[in-house]
């Protein structure tokens, strides 16, 4: 599909979300009806190759769709972003690259099946964060152990957008046999939704409230074969699919994923909302008579436009240079757009006055979402650190050994 057609499709999906956004934010509940509509729209297959029934889109296509969706709901767009991170990462793994890193012969079949399911409406999530580690791979305590023809994964993830509501989760875990004198070897495993353990139900954050980013326990077996009994508890294990090494997937998730769009969506939607607010009469006065209103809208619009252009160019750069190990443009967009989202939201909130911070105001929700967007991994400070180290010619340490 062409970009205009994709944007039109995304607008239809966003229009269906719009009536429920405020309520989902108020009670911090997973947007089940919204995601059900998304599943049938075809958008889950946006980044899936056409040979597997998807749309065959690239990062530029994703950015256009994500910004459109986020004008209705930043939280819903974040859920879509997590799914897109998985599908694009898998779609970019070549057969020979996976084989060179020790992936089993069944990998290609499993990858294609997973992507084909996404084209049919399946949705996936990413489970990295842990309470003591955040998203630092070197500090993860969830581990995997070789067990027969597969792997046993044990631990706890502190947050995972859509926990308990998705078809599968890409779980990060280091090798349990790693030693103190050797950096941990981190791999990713695609764990079926039915295989995750007890799910926390305490999600009540400042922003991004409708993502249901609860934590959950993991004690499951994944692999190409199926042992008769779990060696730990003796129970029949649930079956999943073996993941591939971090070098294949994590590099793309951390450095190339289109997740930078979630920052831009905050800035863009803040500006759109502010324009609507500034057009409304305030106590009989014309909207352009509001203190700082005209200036704030103008400055915010310029910042948003600069962030949008940066993001779109970063997406084009990634599409053109898919085999390049570093994508500085992506980190530039991550940093610029993340900071812009909150700066613009804060400036427009001040310009609009107390009414803008009343609970239930659209701008108040955008302010909270933008604040939380900048700390979503990889956060703005991490993006700045990577850019700074690269600019100074220093080694960029991501906190884990590539396997």
């Amino acid at each position: 599909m062409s970009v205009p057609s994709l944007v039109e499709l995304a607008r239809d999906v966003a229009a269906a979300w719009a009536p429920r956004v405020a309520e989902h934010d108020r009670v911090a509940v997973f947007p089940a009806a919204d995601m059900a509509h998304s599943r049938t729209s075809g958008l889950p297959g946006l980044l899936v190759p056409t040979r597997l029934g998807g749309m065959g889109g690239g990062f530029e296509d994703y950015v256009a769709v994500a910004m459109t969706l986020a004008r209705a709901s930043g939280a819903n767009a974040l859920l879509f972003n997590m799914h897109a991170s998985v599908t694009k990462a898998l779609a970019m793994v070549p057969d020979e690259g996976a084989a060179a890193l020790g992936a089993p012969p069944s990998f290609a079949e499993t990858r294609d099946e997973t992507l084909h399911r996404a084209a049919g409406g399946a949705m996936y999530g990413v489970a990295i964060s842990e309470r003591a580690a955040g998203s630092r791979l070197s500090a993860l305590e969830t581990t995997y152990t070789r067990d027969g023809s597969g792997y046993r994964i044990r631990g706890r993830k502190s947050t995972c957008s859509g926990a308990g509501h998705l078809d599968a989760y890409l779980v990060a875990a280091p090798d349990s046999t790693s030693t103190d004198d050797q950096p941990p070897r981190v791999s990713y495993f695609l764990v079926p939704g039915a295989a995750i353990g007890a799910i926390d139900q305490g999600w009540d954050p400042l922003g991004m409230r409708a993502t249901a980013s609860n934590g959950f326990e993991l004690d499951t077996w994944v692999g190409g074969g199926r042992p008769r009994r779990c060696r730990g508890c003796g129970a029949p294990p649930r079956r999943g699919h073996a993941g591939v090494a971090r070098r294949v997937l994590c590099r793309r998730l951390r450095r190339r994923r289109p997740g930078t769009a979630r920052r831009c969506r905050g800035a863009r939607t803040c500006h759109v909302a502010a324009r609507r607010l500034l057009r409304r009469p305030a106590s009989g006065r014309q909207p352009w008579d509001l203190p700082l209103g005209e200036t704030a809208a103008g400055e915010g619009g310029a910042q948003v436009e600069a962030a949008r252009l940066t993001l779109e160019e970063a997406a084009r750069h990634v599409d053109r240079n898919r085999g390049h190990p570093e994508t500085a443009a992506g980190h530039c967009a991550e940093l610029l757009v993340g900071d812009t989202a909150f700066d613009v939201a804060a400036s427009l909130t001040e310009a609009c006055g107390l009414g803008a911070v009343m609970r239930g105001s659209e701008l108040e929700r955008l302010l909270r979402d933008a604040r939380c967007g900048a700390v979503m991994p990889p956060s703005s400070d991490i993006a700045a650190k990577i850019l700074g180290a690269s600019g100074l010619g220093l080694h960029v340490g991501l906190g884990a050994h590539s396997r």
Side-chain angles (χ1 to χ4, degrees), residues 45 47-56 87 90-91 108-120:
L47 303 178
V48 174
T50 54
R51 68 181 180 85
L52 298 173
M55 299 180 185
T87 55
L90 288 175
E109 181 182 352
T110 298
R111 176 202 59 205
D112 289 356
E113 177 188 353
T114 302
L115 291 171
H116 179 68
R117 291 181 61 208

Side-chain angles (χ1 to χ4, degrees), residues 234-248:
R238 295 180 174 123
R239 183 172 179 175
H241 298 293
V244 295
R246 173 183 174 271
R247 183 179 296 174
V248 176

Side-chain angles (χ1 to χ4, degrees), residues 62-73:
Y62 170 75
V63 165
V65 168
M67 288 194 293
T68 303
L69 294 177
R71 291 172 191 173
S73 170

